[in-house]
Amino acid sequence: MTVLPITIWGEPVLHRRAAEVEEFDDGLRQLIADMFETNDMANGVGLAAPQIGVGKRIFVYKFENEDGAPPAGVVVNPVLTLSKVSGALPDPDEEVEGCLSFPGGQYPLKRAEWVRVQGFDGHGKPVDFEATGWFARIIQHEYDHLDGKLYVNRLIDRYARKAMKQAKKSGWGVPGLTWMPGVDPDPFGH
């Protein structure tokens, strides 16, 4: 397994829809293993393939949950069904997200409280589970990456302005920027 560099906001692969996976082969399974290794080294709860520069519809997660889903898993070509997202403002203490591809930033965002996830594992076998609460948030966050969105694209104006100031100050928004888990400082201080 290999730890791979994580792309930063502005890398084109992060901002376009990822392609469906068509081949469930050893190459795919090696990519998944590398994604798990990279996610672990980055202290992440999830990682989508575009975050390592691969425009494929794959994400991994690692999160102890009470929903009966495995505490770590992969979903290839996922389809999500969501509960309604509340129109209330996000709670700045309880609903804060961060992203490995927007390193160090953490902003409040309202998400659906329930999600059904359907897709495939690395061998092409069906995956189907439900997620609630924080686990549902993680799944939605990773799925967004597959549609070319980062959580900062969903922020309400007040937080979106702060996020864009952070991006500008950090020099992001251009191709070619990455950080290396296990080598570069952990942007979230784990």
Side-chain angles (χ1 to χ4, degrees):
M1 293 182 288
T2 305
V3 175
L4 301 168
I6 295 177
T7 58
I8 294 175
W9 184 82
E11 184 64 35
V13 71
L14 289 172
H15 305 286
R16 64 177 173 253
R17 188 179 193 283
E20 300 285 326
V21 171
E22 296 177 7
E23 300 279 330
F24 289 81
D25 57 11
D26 289 341
L28 173 65
R29 288 182 285 281
Q30 181 62 56
L31 173 63
I32 291 167
D34 292 345
M35 289 174 67
F36 274 116
E37 186 75 11
T38 302
N39 188 54
D40 284 349
M41 188 62 72
N43 297 302
V45 293
L47 182 72
Q51 292 183 272
I52 55 164
V54 178
K56 297 285 184 183
R57 296 187 74 75
I58 309 162
F59 69 78
V60 299
Y61 68 86
K62 183 177 181 183
F63 187 76
E64 292 289 337
N65 63 83
E66 298 176 1
D67 296 310
V74 60
V75 186
V76 179
N77 296 337
V79 174
L80 299 189
T81 304
L82 307 173
S83 64
K84 185 175 177 170
V85 179
S86 165
L89 290 175
D91 184 316
D93 296 319
E94 300 294 324
E95 297 178 307
V96 175
E97 287 186 32
C99 180
L100 297 174
S101 289
F102 205 88
Q106 295 179 302
Y107 301 98
L109 177 63
K110 192 60 91 175
R111 293 276 193 184
E113 286 292 317
W114 173 90
V115 62
R116 180 177 181 193
V117 185
Q118 296 172 290
F120 302 92
D121 69 11
H123 296 278
K125 294 180 181 163
V127 171
D128 189 341
F129 63 89
E130 295 179 8
T132 60
W134 200 258
F135 188 33
R137 177 178 295 276
I138 293 165
I139 297 299
Q140 292 168 79
H141 180 111
E142 299 312 325
Y143 182 85
D144 275 353
H145 280 298
L146 306 182
D147 283 341
K149 293 184 175 103
L150 277 72
Y151 86 105
V152 295
N153 300 121
R154 294 189 177 276
L155 298 174
I156 61 172
D157 287 345
R158 156 179 38 178
Y159 299 120
R161 284 191 300 274
K162 288 180 181 180
M164 292 308 104
K165 283 181 187 175
Q166 177 190 351
K168 184 175 181 180
K169 181 179 177 184
S170 299
W172 302 338
V174 296
L177 301 178
T178 62
W179 70 277
M180 190 66 180
V183 175
D184 294 324
D186 183 323
F188 295 99
H190 297 108

